[in-house]
């Protein structure tokens, strides 16, 4: 085969192709030049044609390009074709396809991309990003620390600048030491403070947890936490950073005061602490207070507390810090009260789930009881070193309570607040109980029961317009529309679910605590689910909690996998914003403004709209198109190793509590 005019017969995946030697070899150093020169062994079919075990449809497109030097990309899977070009070594076409692929993906993200916070450590400096400055960050004192102020604008940022350290003149451009550079990092800030037992500092830079409160965000890495604040004029910027912890951070809690003016979060006075940060590792909890009104930022270690068992949930109820653990009969609750400056622990047998409402902390148990602690009356209710946990309600069948949601109706002059509680059980029941202010002494009364789940309930949410329940069968969701009379629940005859769908998530149970699918959102607005299908993925699906319809699809701007996420309600000068905050394995935090898509999706879902068509209860299809399509699911699973056995789903990380 030395004649360029010789015909070459090919059998590609069972389809016959005939072309010339010259056509196949005009691009040098390809699969075909190696094949026809004998460097690759050939296999021939019964007719003598060279057999190539590849996709014949994609090969036909490549062969036409070799013939004409042109290609029609209409209705073509560019990524699949690019993969075939790389296999055959057709570099000219591969480069064209790479450019076409990049046209649909930008490092600046799409229209929803709101901001980018690079890793706080400059572990590597490449290219021309060699300018640096030394910024001292002493952690020798536990009472006062100067925290470096850096800044990331809300606009799209060029990811090629990640890792650069802003110069000193850049730091002075935004008043209090903010920088418009795309980096918040400084490797020098942690010299001498790295835990000695860490095998790889870079591996610990994955974002582990994100918590948000008002216009503040705490981003937790393996051994430290960085705090950011959002203002309308300066965007997000670093305000504080915790000392490096010797142990791995497992839980964090954030509480920030807000003045409510101008879209900023700040303290109500010019002195005192306006941000509190709790960090849990094992059974120990450390609590810091930060005063950010003056330079330098003052950090005060309030104390280190021991719950006695591993802390599984850490949260603030008002200004009170609460630690919970559900280790079977050894379940404990620990409370630090801001007024008394006292840490108190108490056994709460068989604790399984929790929720908060105002100053109340409600606790569900495996015995079917719902208990509560009134945090506002905490100092007055202490007796003989006792938190005085009070039983509120007992399930009529004594089924273990696995999820709970409390809704306080708006207070009126006629009837005050109604207390409405929805809870789910291990047997799959969902019950709604109510308590009128005039019948407080009689306790809550059972209002309605739904027995439509056959698996344990993992989440339940009662809002102004919907009741949403999720069971452990691959996050199967049912939703009901809640009707009200003068603000009080009146769902009869609303026993027919509005929708039923699954929020599939194949993540290992050990990785679930900081990847909870939801539902997210305030109780007086439309809530959403955030679906992360496989563990290592750069794609999240945002879906309406009421019917499962897709709101939008979020993809990482730099291709890095999402390690954790949370929905933040941030106040702005013009309107509140609902931001999806995604932590990544690269150490960066990416922000997406999903306010507009949610508003549009809710509008289309309203009765009388084109999509909503004014239907009543139960007139919607039980299956929805909000999750990944089959093609999307196959693409996600292609990068994921699945065991032969189904992956068990853990219970809700923010509600049910399991024994370790």
């Amino acid at each position: 085969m030395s004649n360029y005019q010789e015909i070459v017969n090919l059998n590609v995946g069972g389809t016959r192709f005939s072309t010339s030697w010259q056509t196949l070899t005009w691009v040098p150093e390809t699969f075909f030049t190696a094949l026809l020169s004998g460097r690759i062994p050939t296999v021939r079919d019964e007719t003598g044609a060279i057999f190539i075990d590849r996709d014949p449809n994609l090969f036909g497109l490549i062969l036409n390009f070799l013939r004409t030097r042109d290609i029609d990309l209409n209705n073509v899977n560019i990524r699949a074709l690019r993969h075939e070009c790389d296999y055959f070594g057709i570099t000219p076409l591969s480069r064209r396809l790479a450019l076409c692929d990049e046209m649909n993906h930008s490092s600046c993200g799409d229209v929803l991309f709101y901001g980018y916070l690079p890793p706080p450590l400059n572990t590597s400096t490449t290219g021309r990003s060699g300018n640096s400055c030394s910024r001292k960050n002493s952690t020798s004192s536990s009472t006062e620390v100067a925290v470096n102020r850096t800044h990331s604008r809300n606009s799209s940022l060029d990811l090629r600048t990640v890792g650069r350290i802003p110069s000193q003149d850049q730091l002075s451009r935004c008043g209090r030491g903010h920088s418009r550079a795309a980096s918040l990092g400084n490797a020098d800030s942690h010299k001498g403070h790295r835990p000695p037992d860490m095998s790889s500092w870079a591996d610990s830079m994955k974002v582990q947890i994100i918590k948000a409160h008002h216009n503040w965000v705490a981003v937790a890495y393996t051994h430290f936490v960085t705090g950011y604040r959002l203002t309308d004029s300066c965007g997000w910027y670093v305000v504080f950073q915790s000392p490096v912890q010797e142990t791995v951070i497992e839980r964090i809690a954030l509480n920030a005061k807000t003045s409510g003016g101008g879209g900023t979060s700040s303290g109500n006075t010019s002195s005192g602490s306006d941000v509190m940060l709790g960090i849990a590792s094992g059974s120990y909890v450390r609590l810091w207070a930060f005063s950010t009104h003056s330079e330098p930022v003052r950090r005060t270690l309030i104390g280190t507390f021991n719950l006695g068992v591993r802390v599984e949930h850490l949260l603030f109820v008002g200004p009170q810090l609460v630690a919970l653990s559900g280790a079977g009969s050894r379940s404990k609750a620990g409370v630090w009260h801001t007024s008394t400056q006292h840490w108190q622990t108490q056994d709460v047998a068989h604790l399984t789930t929790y929720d908060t409402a105002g100053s109340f902390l409600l606790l569900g148990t495996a015995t079917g009881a719902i208990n509560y602690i009134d945090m506002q009356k905490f100092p007055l209710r202490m007796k003989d070193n006792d938190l005085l946990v009070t039983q509120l309600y007992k399930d009529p069948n004594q089924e273990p309570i696995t999820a709970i949601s409390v809704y306080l109706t708006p207070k009126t002059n006629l009837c005050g607040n109604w207390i409405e509680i929805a809870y789910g059980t291990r047997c799959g029941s969902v019950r709604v109980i109510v308590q009128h202010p005039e019948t407080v002494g009689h306790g809550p009364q059972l209002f309605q029961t739904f027995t439509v789940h056959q698996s344990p309930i993992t989440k339940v949410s009662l809002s102004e317009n919907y009741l949403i329940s999720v069971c452990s069968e691959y996050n199967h969701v049912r939703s009901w529309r809640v009707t009200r009379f003068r603000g009080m629940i009146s769902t009869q005859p609303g026993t027919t679910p509005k929708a039923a769908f699954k929020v599939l998530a194949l993540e290992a149970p050990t990785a679930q605590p900081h990847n909870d699918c939801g539902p997210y959102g305030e109780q007086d607005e439309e809530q959403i689910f955030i679906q992360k299908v496989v563990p290592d993925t750069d794609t999240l699906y945002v879906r309406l909690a009421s019917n499962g319809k897709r709101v939008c699809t979020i993809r990482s701007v730099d291709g890095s996998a999402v390690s954790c996420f949370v929905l933040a309600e941030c106040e702005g000068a013009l309107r509140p914003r609902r931001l999806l905050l995604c932590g990544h394995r690269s150490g960066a935090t990416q922000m997406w403004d999903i306010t507009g898509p949610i508003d549009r999706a809710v509008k289309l879902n309203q009765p009388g709209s084109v999509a909503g068509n004014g239907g009543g209860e139960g007139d919607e299809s039980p299956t929805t198109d909000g999750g990944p399509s089959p093609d999307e699911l196959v693409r996600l699973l292609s990068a994921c190793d699945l065991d032969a056995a189904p992956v068990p789903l853990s219970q809700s990380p923010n509600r049910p509590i399991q024994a370790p």
Side-chain angles (χ1 to χ4, degrees), residues 606-633:
Q606 290 177 347
S609 65
V610 176
N613 66 28
E617 294 290 344
D619 62 351
E620 295 195 11
S621 172
T623 58
T624 61
D625 56 357
S629 65
D631 290 342
E632 291 172 326
L633 186 59

Side-chain angles (χ1 to χ4, degrees), residues 76-264:
V76 174
N77 188 326
I78 294 179
R79 290 194 175 185
L81 181 58
R82 181 182 174 187
H83 178 74
E84 290 297 289
C85 289
D86 292 338
Y87 175 83
F88 290 116
I90 312 300
T91 304
L93 180 56
S94 181
R95 289 176 178 174
R96 296 188 188 186
L97 295 175
L99 182 58
C100 294
D101 196 18
E102 289 299 325
M103 291 293 292
N104 297 322
H105 187 82
S106 171
S107 62
C108 290
D110 59 20
V111 68
L112 302 181
F113 187 54
Y114 182 79
Y116 183 93
L117 303 179
L121 293 186
N122 182 30
T123 56
S124 62
T125 303
T126 60
R128 291 169 291 180
S129 58
N131 60 328
S132 62
C133 63
S134 177
R135 292 175 288 165
K136 187 177 180 181
N137 183 17
S138 173
T139 57
S140 59
S141 171
S142 63
T143 59
E144 182 173 340
V145 173
V147 178
N148 300 321
R149 298 297 184 93
T150 54
H151 164 66
S152 174
R153 296 292 295 181
N154 298 342
S155 59
S156 302
L157 303 176
D158 190 345
L159 303 188
R160 292 172 295 181
T161 62
V162 173
R164 298 183 184 180
I165 302 176
S167 60
Q168 201 62 41
D169 61 333
Q170 289 175 319
L171 291 175
S172 61
R173 289 181 184 175
C174 194
R176 302 175 69 182
H178 308 160
S179 169
R180 297 177 186 266
S183 173
L184 300 176
N186 184 1
D188 295 336
S189 64
H190 286 276
K191 286 185 177 179
H193 303 289
R194 300 181 182 181
D197 57 341
M198 291 181 59
S199 59
S200 175
W201 182 253
D203 293 341
S204 69
M205 287 308 301
K206 179 182 74 172
V207 177
Q208 304 285 351
I209 315 169
I210 295 181
K211 293 291 184 181
H213 190 223
H214 295 315
N215 286 18
W216 294 76
V217 171
V219 180
Y221 299 86
T222 304
H223 292 277
F224 68 96
V225 180
T226 301
Y228 303 88
R229 180 165 67 175
L230 172 66
T231 62
D232 289 320
S233 58
C234 295
W236 291 96
Y237 63 94
V238 174
V239 178
F240 66 84
Q241 191 163 279
S242 75
V244 176
Q245 308 297 298
E246 294 184 358
T247 55
V248 174
I249 297 174
E250 298 175 348
R251 301 286 186 272
I252 66 171
L254 178 68
N255 184 51
K257 297 179 182 178
T258 178
S259 60
T264 62

Side-chain angles (χ1 to χ4, degrees), residues 20-35:
S20 67
W21 181 305
Q22 184 179 10
T23 297
L24 285 179
T25 59
W26 76 265
V27 178
E29 300 299 327
T30 66
F31 171 88
F32 303 112
T33 59
L35 181 71

